[in-house]
């Protein structure tokens, strides 16, 4: 059982980390601008679900291995970054298609695909991996026993805050999108901007360190 004081302190630390836009937030915003509210929500859902992967790994004791293996951490980081850059470039190339979409609605897209893309971003987010590996264990109490359960409990608090914060960012971006879709030229600009944002997130992930 995690002491309430530890849970509250962890929630405060998690909130500080989460509200600062990182790969998950920027990816969701990019999807909100290019594909609309539904895709933004699905991206957030995928990102939160993907974040459960490093949480589970840390809870099972794999987090320490990841943090002590520079090669393994680099592989995870580069894979995630390359995937983001690919998605960003694809979005930029498809900006003409966005400009021809109906002005009153977002272009149709496969919800499952958007969710899976968000999942990959969440699962390979270096900020989340580092936080779960280096910060999360500090709020557990080994003497209380059931350490994996404690880590999962604390991690669930993180995921709940992430869902709320990322969701707010995405919905705000989706609301702003309605102004852009009043003009095909604006919509094309949105496609380019959203794509460049996603590429930028990928480049940032590739260049980021472990601290």
């Amino acid at each position: 059982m995690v002491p309430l004081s530890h849970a509250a302190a962890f929630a405060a630390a998690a909130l500080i980390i989460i509200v600062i836009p990182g790969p998950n937030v920027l990816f969701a915003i990019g999807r909100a601008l290019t594909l609309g509210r539904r895709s933004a929500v699905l991206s957030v859902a995928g990102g939160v679900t993907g974040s459960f992967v490093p949480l589970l790994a840390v809870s099972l004791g794999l987090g320490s291995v990841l943090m002590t293996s520079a090669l393994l951490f680099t592989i995870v980081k580069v894979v995630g970054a390359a995937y983001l850059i690919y998605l960003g470039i694809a979005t930029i190339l498809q900006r003409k298609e966005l400009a021809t979409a109906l002005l009153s609605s977002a272009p149709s897209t496969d919800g499952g695909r958007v969710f899976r893309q968000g999942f990959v971003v969440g699962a390979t987010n270096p900020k989340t991996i580092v936080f779960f590996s280096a910060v999360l264990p500090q709020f557990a109490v080994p003497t209380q026993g059931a350490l994996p359960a404690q880590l999962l409990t604390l991690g669930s608090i993180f995921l709940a805050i992430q869902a709320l914060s990322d969701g707010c960012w995405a919905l705000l971006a989706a609301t702003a999108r309605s102004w852009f879709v009043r003009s095909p030229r604006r919509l094309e600009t949105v496609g380019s901007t959203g794509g460049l944002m996603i590429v930028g997130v990928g480049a940032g992930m590739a260049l980021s360190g472990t601290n």
Side-chain angles (χ1 to χ4, degrees), residues 105-147:
S105 62
S108 60
T109 188
D110 179 15
R113 180 181 179 186
V114 173
F115 179 88
R116 289 191 296 272
Q117 291 171 344
F119 179 90
V120 172
V121 174
T124 60
N125 183 350
K127 186 174 77 169
T128 303
I129 294 173
V130 171
F131 185 82
F132 282 156
S133 299
V135 180
L136 173 61
Q138 298 181 31
F139 290 87
V141 184
T143 56
Q144 296 281 350
L147 186 58

Side-chain angles (χ1 to χ4, degrees), residues 41 65 78 85 91 93 97 99 124 128 144 146 149 153 178 181 204:
V41 172
V65 175
V78 170
I85 292 174
T91 299
L93 294 178
E97 298 176 18
T124 60
T128 303
Q144 296 281 350
T153 299
S178 63
V181 298

Side-chain angles (χ1 to χ4, degrees), residues 169-208:
W169 278 107
L171 291 177
L172 284 173
T175 300
R177 179 186 181 278
S178 63
W179 179 83
F180 288 98
V181 298
R182 295 173 189 168
S183 163
R185 181 174 296 180
R186 290 176 184 171
L187 188 55
E188 184 174 338
T189 300
V190 167
S192 299
T193 302
L196 286 173
M197 181 178 294
I198 295 172
V199 170
V201 174
M205 286 177 60
L207 296 175
S208 65

